[in-house]
C-alpha cells in the first residue's frame, strides 16, 4: 500500500493555492454573507441609536443610553467588517453588540 502525495484532495493549483473542485462555499455564498452581515449591522446600529435617543429623553439611568450607544457602535464596526469580507468577525461583533444592548436594557 503506497500513498501518493497527491492522493488526498483533488484540485488544480493556481497562483500557489490549491483550488478544490467541490468547495464548500462559492463566490455567491460569500457575497450573500457579506451583504447579510452589512445589512444586519446597519439595522442593529440604527435600532441601538434609536433606543439610545429614546432612553436618553426618559427617566432612565445614564448607563442605559450609554449601553445602547456602545452596542450601536460595536454593530456599526461589525457592518464595516462585514462589508470588507470579514464575516466571521462581524458575526461575533454583532453578537457582542446585541449583548451590550441587552445588558443596558436589563440595568433599567
Amino acid at each position: 500500500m503506497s500513498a501518493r502525495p497527491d492522493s488526498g484532495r483533488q484540485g488544480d493549483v493556481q497562483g500557489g493555492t490549491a483550488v478544490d473542485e467541490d468547495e464548500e462555499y462559492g463566490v455567491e455564498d460569500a457575497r450573500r454573507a457579506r451583504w447579510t452581515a452589512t445589512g444586519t449591522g446597519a439595522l442593529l446600529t440604527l435600532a441601538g441609536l434609536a433606543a439610545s435617543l429614546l432612553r436618553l429623553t426618559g427617566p432612565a439611568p445614564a448607563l442605559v443610553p450609554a449601553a445602547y450607544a456602545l452596542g450601536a457602535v460595536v454593530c456599526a464596526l461589525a457592518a464595516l467588517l462585514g462589508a470588507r469580507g470579514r464575516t466571521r468577525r462581524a458575526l461575533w461583533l454583532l453578537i457582542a453588540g446585541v449583548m451590550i444592548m441587552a445588558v443596558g436594557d436589563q440595568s433599567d
Side-chain angles (χ1 to χ4, degrees):
M1 208 169 167
S2 65
R4 296 185 344 198
D6 62 345
S7 64
R9 300 180 80 178
Q10 299 292 325
D12 299 328
V13 176
Q14 294 177 351
T17 61
V19 177
D20 197 5
E21 292 175 358
D22 55 352
E23 289 182 2
E24 187 175 353
Y25 301 108
V27 175
E28 193 63 34
D29 291 331
R31 183 176 295 123
R32 189 176 307 122
R34 282 194 304 270
W35 277 104
T36 302
T38 304
T40 305
L43 182 68
L44 287 173
T45 299
L46 291 175
L49 288 177
S52 176
L53 289 174
L54 286 173
R55 295 297 182 130
L56 190 64
T57 60
L63 177 66
V64 176
Y68 278 116
L70 180 62
V73 168
V74 171
C75 288
L77 180 61
L80 179 68
L81 286 177
R84 293 179 180 244
R86 306 290 186 187
T87 54
R88 287 186 187 144
R89 290 185 180 113
L91 173 65
W92 285 108
L93 282 177
L94 287 172
I95 293 169
V98 170
M99 286 177 61
I100 292 170
M101 290 185 216
V103 166
D105 188 49
Q106 290 298 316
S107 67
D108 186 17

